[in-house]
Every structure is written in structure tokens, then in C-alpha cells.
Amino acid sequence: MSYMDNTTKKRVLREGVIKSIWLATALISAVAVAFILGHVICTALSGFLFNTNWNPTGTPPSYGIAALIIDTLLVTLGALIFSVPLGLATAVYISYVAPPRMRDVVKPVIELLAGIPSVVYGFFGMIVLGSFLQKALNIPSGACWLAASIILGIMALPTIISVSEDALFAIPKDYKEASLSLGVTYWHTISHVLLPAAASGVSAAVILGMGRAIGETMAVMMIAGNAAIIPNPIWNVLSPVRTLTATLGIEMTEVATNSMHYYALFGVATILLLITLLINLTSYWLIKRMQTGSCLPDRMRNWTHSEGMRVAVAAVAGIIVVWFLSAVLGILSAVVITAAIGAWYFGREKISPKFAEKSSFGIIYACTAAVILILAIILWDIFANGLPAISWEFLTGRPKQCGLAGGIFTAIVGTLQLVAGAILITLPIGIGAAIYFTEYSHENLLTRALRIGNDLLNGTPSIVFGLFGFAFFVIYLNWGTCMLAGQICLAFMILPTIIRTTEEALKSVPNSLREASLGLGATQWQTIRKVVLPSAAPGILTGAILSVGRAAGETAPIMFTAVVFSKRFITRDVFDPVMALPYHLFALSTTVPDVTTQHYGTAVVLIALVIAIYLAAIFSRRHFQKKLFR
Amino acid sequence: MTPAIQANHLNLFYGTKQALFDVDILFEEKKITALVGPSGCGKSTLLRCLNRMNELIPTCKISGEILFRSENILKADPVELRKQIGMVFQQPNPFPKSIYDNIAYGPRAHGEHDTGKLDTIVENSLKSAALWDEVKDRLHDSALGLSGGQQQRLCIARTLAVSPEIILMDEPCSALDPIATSKIETLITDLKQKYTVIIVTHNMPQATRVSDMTGFMYLGKVIEMDETQTIFVNPAEKLTQHYITGKFG
């Protein structure tokens, strides 16, 4: 620019310098404010949030929970690394690949996996997985991060599978036809149209699975080793860990009410709630986003489509997987597996679609088989060792020597009482709420708030319900440990599941049916009662059954509120404590060092009870469906 | 007259119920052939045999032969076949992706990843489907935001992007309003310069407007097949006459 002479240049430069100086001062003040605030908050929390030393019974006591948070996240990450691929593959198998007859086999298997109580998983983890790891890896104790992650992964599988299967199943069949008619292989259709179309549901599945893993208490308590330390080095999967939930489960029973330690435990529960809150809000936001606009805005699109970004994501994912695998299986196999994945990722555009289809389906079959095998191993172990313990005496006798011998009749009855009470309380509320959400409400601030509240309740770890029940019913209302408190806690715990599944079932009833009925002059309630509810009944039933099964096997919500270790007589008053199967198994496993047939016998009865509930459910669902489609 | 595709002694069963009875039919190249007939006469079933979409129904059994390029497609690979014989469905069924990604889906799946080439394919396909001018400024918006008629033209463009030889249309206008219908009809007439089009329709006037040849089907059999003019003015069979004059159906 020739018209700009030297003086002008200088002037411009000077102006620029002056501007920068003011900017710097402005920045300094902003940084100062941030620093002061940050320092105050850090100092305030450093004893709690950023302190890695959890030792409430030491002198002086220390209440740092950083190690607990990190352990929780590590255990969850480990669980997801293998449950997400396995779960997604199985969901794809069930919804798209399986012939109808196989689907009828695999689906109940998944439901069964979901129905196995967490305390049984913990028991299996202690007895079988723990000692296997101990021998195979030659470590002092099998209770470690790896064991906890494996068990939690198995426990998260049914959630991931069933939620993503529902999402996949809901994708219109039109997409499949449209894609196939373009001469595209079925696998390409699944991976490029159907799975992306179900992305919101699938990510919800993963996040719910994650919530399941973070919120689990009993199994983790039994197999994670429970040392409140950060693994050293951080990828040492053989290190014992202690999660937030386990801390609550272990210490809540031993702590003096209203002591500093007591409040610290509620602090732990608050952090746990905040984490699950964060998870749930993320998933909520994610799903909303995907529902409203299925396409990303241009800027994000370019970002996700850029080659560099993809490579970066692949690299990060690769590093995490290699870490985990090399710790579990050894360096060599980790490298081989990673190389295979990398070869697939970068070579996939060159391999023929036919080959891609064959190998992908092969992997999917293998994953599904693995899931079935896991269930088979668990059931085989429990039943092979437990069935000999079952006798008439065992089932109908009363406990002797504080439950170490004798029968478990009172525990069986107690469990049934707890579950019956819970479902009676929760079913009318849950179905009513779901009807309101789907049939009556228009989207407004109130319903949105209610819906978010419900989602948050759903993500709340079961131990928190127990904690709440303990603080409110047992201590504040001064009911003491009693059956009613346990029933209410269980009812709260399964309420969101019932609402959610009922809502899903109601939504899956096509609107045309409602319109047809309304068009004939039926009122809204008539339409709901005669048309919508009958069509949705199988779905509602499934939800209710899964909830009952879950309630029957839950330990965490009842262990501070309703149960005692041993009780000779059946409870007849709701304000008396009960004996329950899952807690009985937990107490036996953690207090009696030698594994006895008493353990296995209790586990068998517990599983058999749950299976019986499930079978009843599956049959009645089939019955309903037949009636509906005839 | 060159045959594009022909069926010989085609029988089709859904479970135990027979839907097609010994069908012999020949479709000419670069012509538009309409299949008409009352509901349930098997015209859609016949159409869906031509690119083997019926095989998605597990109970479906087919015998006979369908010759395409002098090869029996019932013994060929369905995936390869469907690249050559595209299909447009009754309900517009765009994928929940952007307009661009909908069109580029087929070519990408068949191994085309060059951005420049894909851009050309997308533009040409949309132009051939008479949709380019309406969407060229929002190619990366969701296809689900288009109107029904636009969606159906998008589906046609998506089919064209794979450059098939034959395009099968299963009542492509039955879910659309008259204006959208007339746009699609104009489009179909333009398509015959490059493609063989076979269209199933319920709408008699539509058959007369767009097609060169018309086949009349009844109860799973092809009753008559001739020039559209002949079928509608002077059909050989009494049954055809009754149907087109509206005595049944």
C-alpha cells in the first residue's frame, strides 16, 4: 500500500501497542479473579475432592475421595471396553441377523443375564473368576480392577444389548429395502444406514450401561479388593481398587450416626449422584440433539469428516485398547489384535464388500456365542455346585447358627414379601405416569422437567436408594430396620424402569390406531383403554417383569433398611425386619471364608426364583402377543 | 425391439399361498411399461421379483426363470443384480442423512470415494431427477426436511446415482399430491431416454399418460400385454375391457 507512508505506519503500530497493553491489563484482572476463585474452591475442596487419601478411621482421619473417584471411572472404563463391542454385536445379531428361531433363543438368554442378581455375580466373581485370575496371573489376590471390570462388563451387557436392540428394531424397514435396492450388501446397509439411524438409541444404551456399571455396589464390593488407592502405574489392572459405591456399602453399616465420618459418606454419595447426573444429562442432551436434527451442522460435519480427526480418534481409541489388552492378555496378543483392527480400519475401503460382510457377520456370531457362553459358564458353576445342597429341609427349614446351617425358608419368604410390596407400590404410579407422558401431555416445561427427573432417578445408583432409606425411614422417621422401608426403597428404584418401558411400549403403538379409534367417536380414555393399552401390554409386561426380577435380586437398597442376617420366623408386621436371599448370600460370602454348599444352595434358590419370575413373564408375553396378532 | 428383462414360467408362493401363476412377460428396453390391475393381483409381487426384493420375505418361494442380459437372475448374486436394477418405493424412503449423503450413499458403497467424482454424480443425479434447482443450496441439510414429492424425487435421484439399466417403480406417486405427482410423471417420461422403466400403478390415467406399454394382471396372471394405446382403446380380452372401463377393481 503505497499511500501509507512511514508516519502512518508508526501511528498504526503505536495504536496497536497501546491497545495490546489495555488488553493485557484486562486479562490480568480476569485471570486474577479466576485464580482467586479457583484457589478458594480448590482449598475448600482439597481436603475432600482432590485429596487421594481416604482414611476416615485413622488419626487424624482423612476424607479425600479423589482415589475413589478415579477408581470408579477406571473400573467403569474397563467394563465398557469389552461390554460395548460384545453388546452391540449381539444386539445387531438379534435384530438383523438372527433367524426368528435363534432370536427366540438369544433374547431370553439376555433377559436371564439381566436377571441374575448382582450379588450372585459378585459371588461368582469371588469364587470362580477371582481364583482363576489368581492362579492364571500368579497374583496374591484375584480381587482387583480387572476382575471388577469383567464382572461389571457382564452385568452391563444386558442393558446395552436390550436398549440398543430396541433402538435397532425401531428403525423403519423402509431403510433396509431402500439400501438393498441400490445393490448394497446387507452388512453395509446395517453399518451405514441402520446403525447410524439408531445412533441416539445406541448411545443411550451405552450410557445406560455405563450408569449401570458406575452404580453397581454389591458385585464390586465383593471382587474389587477395596483398597482405596489409585492403581500404580495407572494402567495396572491387577491393582485392588475401591469405588464410591463400595465405600458406601462397606462403611455405612459401621459408622456412628451423625459423626464426621457419617457426613463424609453422604459427601461420597453426593459425588456419586453428581457423576451419574452428569452422565444422564449428557445422554439426555445427546439424544435430544439427535432427535431434533439428524444432521450435524456444517462446521462439525467438516470436523468429523476430516481425515486428520479420524486418525486422531482412531489413535486415541487404539492406545486405550492396547493399554487394556496388553495388561489383560499380554503385550503380544494386544499388538496382534490392534494390528488386525488397524488393518481393518485403513484397508476397509479396499476389501470387497462381500468379504467385509462375511467377516463382520463372523465376528457378530462369535460375539453372540461368547455372550451365551458367559451365561452358560455362570449358570453351570452355580447349579453344578448348588443343586446337591437343595433339599426339602433346606427350602422349608429355618436357619440355625445364625444362618450358617439349616434352611432358608424365612429368606425366601422375606424376598417375596419385599418384591410384592415394591411392585404393588410402583406399578400403578409407573403406568399412570407413563400414560400421562405419552398420551396426555404436550411438550411443555413441566413435562420436560418431570421427564428429566425420571431419567435422573433411573440413573441413580441403587445404593443411594438404600442410603436415602436409611437416613429417612430408619433414622429420621425412627422406623428402625423394617420391611416397609425396604419395599419403598425398592419401589423407588424400579419406578423409572417401569415408567420408561411403559412409555416405550405406548409409543410403539402406531398413531394411526389411536386416530382410527378417535375417528370412530371414542373418547381419549376409551381409546387408551381399549386400543392403546392392549397393544402395549406385552411391552409393559416385559418392563414390569424385568423390574420384579431386578428387585428380587437387589441387595444394596435393602441392606441398611430392611434386612437382618438371620431370622427364625416369617415377618408379619411391615415394621419388622426381614431376611432376604440376596443379602443372605452376600453376608455368607463375605463373612464365612470357606465356600460351603450353603452358599451355592442359596445362590441356586435365588437364581431359580428369578428365573421362575422371568419364565412366567416370557410365557405371558408370548400369550399376549399371540392374542394380539391372531 | 430388444427385451430388457423377461420372465418365463414364473411361479411364486408366499408360504402355501400362490401369488403368481406361470407368468410369462417381456419388458422392452428404453420403454416405460406400466403394470395395472386390481389390488392383490400380484403386480407389486412381480415387480419385486425383478430385483429379488421378495426374498426378504422368509416364506417366499419362486420357480421359473427371469432373464436379464440372457442370464437367469434367480441364480445370480442379488447384490450385483440390484446395482443394475434399481427400485423406487411407494412411500418415499430417504435415509436420515443429508441430501448429499443420500445420493452419494450408493456410489460410496460401491467403492467411489473421490470427492470430486461424488460431487459430479450427486449433481447429475439431482439434475436428472429435476431436483437440483430446489436443493442445490442446502445439499447438506437433512433429507427428511424435504416435502413428500421432493423426497420421492430424491429417492429417484438416489437410484439414478448407481446408474442402473432398469428402474422399477412401485406406485411411486400413490403417497403424493397431484402437483408432486405431475412432476414425477414428467420426470419418468424423461427417464426413458436412458433407462428402462417398469412402473406399477393403480391410477389408470397415469398409465396412459406415462407408459408406452401396459400389462394387465388379474389374480396372479398376466392377462394381456400390449401398447398402452391398444390396451386402453381396443383390448383383446374382455377382462381387460371390464377393468379399464371400471366395471370392477
Side-chain angles (χ1 to χ4, degrees):
Chain A
M1 290 178 206
S2 55
Y3 59 84
M4 210 187 233
D5 56 20
N6 265 344
T7 4
T8 324
K9 270 187 190 162
K10 267 186 198 160
R11 203 167 57 218
V12 171
L13 188 69
R14 200 172 56 222
E15 286 297 314
V17 170
I18 291 171
K19 192 179 157 196
S20 319
I21 292 173
W22 300 140
L23 177 68
T25 53
L27 279 179
I28 287 173
S29 65
V31 167
V33 170
F35 181 77
I36 293 167
L37 258 181
H39 188 74
V40 169
I41 294 173
C42 282
T43 318
L45 290 178
S46 61
F48 185 56
L49 206 52
F50 301 126
N51 175 354
T52 58
N53 182 19
W54 175 264
N55 186 11
T57 50
T59 35
S62 173
Y63 300 105
I65 65 162
L68 305 179
I69 296 178
I70 291 171
D71 284 357
T72 302
L73 296 179
L74 289 178
V75 167
T76 307
L77 179 72
L80 288 181
I81 281 180
F82 89 99
S83 63
V84 169
L86 266 187
L88 283 187
T90 310
V92 168
Y93 177 78
I94 296 175
S95 11
Y96 296 140
V97 187
R101 205 170 296 164
M102 270 315 282
R103 188 174 347 179
D104 288 347
V105 174
V106 180
K107 270 190 84 154
V109 164
I110 305 305
E111 281 169 11
L112 213 58
L113 213 51
I116 295 183
S118 58
V119 61
V120 174
Y121 279 115
F123 175 66
F124 175 82
M126 270 173 99
I127 307 302
V128 181
L129 183 66
S131 57
F132 169 76
L133 287 177
Q134 190 179 2
K135 277 180 205 136
L137 302 172
N138 197 18
I139 46 177
S141 162
C144 61
W145 171 10
L146 178 63
S149 282
I150 292 176
I151 291 294
L152 281 185
I154 297 173
M155 296 175 70
L157 270 177
T159 312
I160 296 177
I161 294 172
S162 56
V163 178
S164 35
E165 190 225 323
D166 285 346
L168 293 173
F169 196 75
I171 300 303
K173 301 285 166 286
D174 295 3
Y175 294 160
K176 179 179 158 188
E177 289 201 325
S179 175
L180 290 180
S181 79
L182 294 167
V184 170
T185 59
Y186 190 26
W187 168 245
H188 193 276
T189 303
I190 293 172
S191 61
H192 286 71
V193 178
L194 304 177
L195 273 176
S200 69
V202 170
S203 49
V206 171
I207 284 178
L208 287 175
M210 191 170 159
R212 176 100 175 87
I214 286 188
E216 174 52 37
T217 310
M218 306 315 294
V220 179
M221 240 160 97
M222 293 161 87
I223 49 168
N226 296 332
I229 51 169
I230 299 172
N232 181 29
I234 188 116
W235 57 83
N236 178 14
V237 291
L238 301 178
S239 159
V241 289
R242 177 196 263 203
T243 62
L244 294 166
T245 51
T247 308
L248 294 176
I250 293 165
E251 294 176 11
M252 203 64 207
T253 44
E254 304 164 350
V255 71
T257 315
N258 295 335
S259 65
M260 188 63 199
H261 186 184
Y262 179 82
Y263 292 117
L265 286 180
F266 276 85
V268 169
T270 312
I271 297 295
L272 184 62
L273 265 181
L274 283 179
I275 293 176
T276 48
L277 198 79
L278 200 70
I279 288 177
N280 282 298
L281 286 179
T282 314
S283 77
Y284 189 81
W285 174 81
L286 208 72
I287 290 172
K288 264 266 119 55
R289 242 193 101 82
M290 285 177 173
Q291 276 169 351
T292 45
S294 49
C295 292
L296 295 168
D298 266 353
R299 205 186 328 149
M300 256 174 105
R301 223 181 70 89
N302 290 338
W303 186 67
T304 52
H305 276 210
S306 72
E307 198 58 33
M309 195 59 219
R310 281 188 196 178
V311 173
V313 169
V316 170
I319 288 170
I320 293 177
V321 170
V322 171
W323 252 5
F324 197 75
L325 285 178
S326 58
V328 181
L329 304 168
I331 297 285
L332 190 69
S333 48
V335 169
V336 170
I337 291 174
T338 321
I341 293 173
W344 169 79
Y345 185 82
F346 291 104
R348 65 194 168 136
E349 284 168 7
K350 301 197 174 51
I351 52 181
S352 82
K354 278 277 148 60
F355 180 73
E357 180 167 67
K358 279 216 179 90
S359 43
S360 307
F361 281 174
I363 292 172
I364 286 172
Y365 294 144
C367 288
T368 312
V371 171
I372 297 174
L373 192 67
I374 289 172
L375 179 79
I377 290 174
I378 295 176
L379 288 186
W380 183 80
D381 179 70
I382 303 277
F383 276 85
N385 290 302
L387 278 181
I390 305 292
S391 61
W392 186 246
E393 189 63 345
F394 185 68
L395 291 177
T396 59
R398 302 180 191 287
K400 287 173 198 155
Q401 297 170 29
C402 280
L404 297 184
I408 54 167
F409 185 62
T410 41
I412 297 175
V413 175
T415 295
L416 291 178
Q417 285 173 317
L418 283 171
V419 174
I423 199 76
L424 277 182
I425 296 171
T426 198
L427 208 54
I429 304 176
I431 293 180
I435 289 179
Y436 178 74
F437 279 140
T438 43
E439 304 295 326
Y440 287 97
S441 72
H442 296 280
E443 203 63 17
N444 61 32
L445 211 63
L446 175 73
T447 58
R448 216 174 303 152
L450 286 174
R451 207 183 285 268
I452 292 177
N454 184 45
D455 283 355
L456 296 185
L457 195 64
N458 193 26
T460 306
S462 58
I463 185 92
V464 174
F465 291 100
L467 216 59
F468 155 76
F470 180 68
F472 188 70
F473 300 119
V474 178
I475 305 287
Y476 183 75
L477 296 182
N478 205 15
W479 289 0
T481 307
C482 70
M483 187 161 82
L484 185 61
Q487 288 169 334
I488 297 176
C489 286
L490 286 176
F492 278 149
M493 191 194 74
I494 59 178
L495 180 63
T497 318
I498 297 225
I499 295 182
R500 186 182 279 253
T501 47
T502 309
E503 247 189 301
E504 294 292 321
L506 291 174
K507 274 186 200 156
S508 71
V509 177
N511 246 336
S512 52
L513 280 186
R514 291 186 183 87
E515 282 164 7
S517 168
L518 292 172
L520 292 169
T523 65
Q524 187 164 13
W525 172 235
Q526 283 172 328
T527 305
I528 293 170
R529 201 163 43 109
K530 300 270 162 121
V531 177
V532 179
L533 279 180
S535 316
I540 298 176
L541 204 63
T542 314
I545 289 150
L546 287 173
S547 307
V548 168
R550 198 177 148 211
E554 244 337 309
T555 318
I558 54 171
M559 76 171 165
F560 320 127
T561 52
V563 289
V564 285
F565 186 63
S566 175
K567 195 161 189 286
R568 288 189 50 77
F569 299 102
I570 292 168
T571 306
R572 297 187 191 281
D573 183 351
V574 290
F575 290 105
D576 277 348
V578 289
M579 205 179 153
L581 282 172
Y583 182 72
H584 186 60
L585 178 58
F586 170 73
L588 280 181
S589 314
T590 46
T591 53
V592 183
D594 295 327
V595 186
T596 60
T597 48
Q598 198 83 8
H599 290 71
Y600 272 110
T602 310
V604 165
V605 173
L606 185 53
I607 291 187
L609 183 75
V610 173
I611 290 178
I613 296 173
Y614 275 49
L615 283 183
I618 290 169
F619 281 127
S620 61
R621 183 176 62 185
R622 291 243 169 99
H623 174 72
F624 259 111
Q625 270 171 348
K626 267 188 198 148
K627 238 168 81 176
L628 198 66
F629 293 119
R630 191 158 51 200
Chain B
M1 164 183 123
T2 343
I5 187 164
Q6 74 184 91
N8 297 326
H9 304 294
L10 196 66
N11 286 288
L12 183 141
F13 295 83
Y14 291 123
T16 52
K17 188 178 164 289
Q18 188 160 8
L20 292 178
F21 294 84
D22 202 32
V23 167
D24 290 301
I25 196 164
L26 184 154
F27 299 98
E28 285 180 43
E29 201 177 60
K30 307 262 160 75
K31 288 259 168 83
I32 300 172
T33 308
L35 288 175
V36 299
S39 302
C41 70
K43 53 194 191 310
S44 284
T45 302
L46 174 59
L47 193 77
R48 293 165 69 92
C49 283
L50 301 179
N51 68 344
R52 297 182 56 180
M53 291 302 277
N54 275 331
E55 283 164 35
L56 301 182
I57 302 160
T59 57
C60 173
K61 282 195 199 68
I62 306 174
S63 67
E65 61 171 9
I66 298 174
L67 294 177
F68 172 62
R69 291 176 175 169
S70 59
E71 192 192 351
N72 183 4
I73 63 164
L74 295 178
K75 298 210 167 72
D77 172 37
V79 173
E80 283 301 316
L81 171 75
R82 290 177 194 139
K83 286 187 202 171
Q84 314 296 328
I85 305 181
M87 187 161 209
V88 177
F89 297 83
Q90 186 169 0
Q91 289 287 336
N93 52 3
F95 301 130
K97 297 171 183 283
S98 71
I99 295 170
Y100 186 98
D101 288 342
N102 259 281
I103 311 286
Y105 174 79
R108 275 186 186 139
H110 301 141
E112 183 60 75
H113 291 283
D114 183 281
T115 324
K117 280 186 191 156
L118 283 175
D119 287 346
T120 320
I121 293 175
V122 170
E123 181 173 345
N124 288 341
S125 309
L126 284 171
K127 277 181 176 159
S128 310
L131 191 59
W132 175 251
D133 290 331
E134 292 164 56
V135 300
K136 66 178 175 216
D137 299 324
R138 46 174 175 144
L139 289 176
H140 294 297
D141 287 1
S142 171
L144 302 182
L146 298 175
S147 73
Q150 286 174 326
Q151 286 190 0
Q152 194 60 303
R153 276 179 283 152
L154 180 77
C155 292
I156 294 176
R158 187 174 64 189
T159 308
L160 298 182
V162 189
S163 34
E165 278 186 27
I166 302 176
I167 300 172
L168 310 175
M169 297 190 173
D170 192 354
E171 301 189 31
C173 302
S174 65
L176 305 179
D177 64 64
I179 294 173
T181 301
S182 98
K183 279 189 184 157
I184 302 252
E185 284 179 4
T186 320
L187 167 59
I188 294 172
T189 346
D190 292 342
L191 286 179
K192 76 168 167 185
Q193 289 162 9
K194 284 197 200 155
Y195 309 93
T196 306
V197 179
I198 305 170
I199 175 171
V200 161
T201 178
H202 245 106
N203 179 333
M204 292 301 126
Q206 181 173 63
T208 58
R209 282 195 298 267
V210 300
S211 69
D212 306 307
M213 306 288 292
T214 297
F216 171 63
M217 290 184 70
Y218 186 64
L219 295 180
K221 295 180 182 125
V222 177
I223 304 297
E224 192 177 357
M225 169 97 172
D226 212 325
E227 304 259 338
T228 301
Q229 277 292 321
T230 321
I231 291 279
F232 280 92
V233 178
N234 190 17
E237 301 284 331
K238 258 257 154 13
L239 210 53
T240 319
Q241 171 117 44
H242 283 172
Y243 182 69
I244 59 166
T245 52
K247 288 204 177 138
F248 71 94

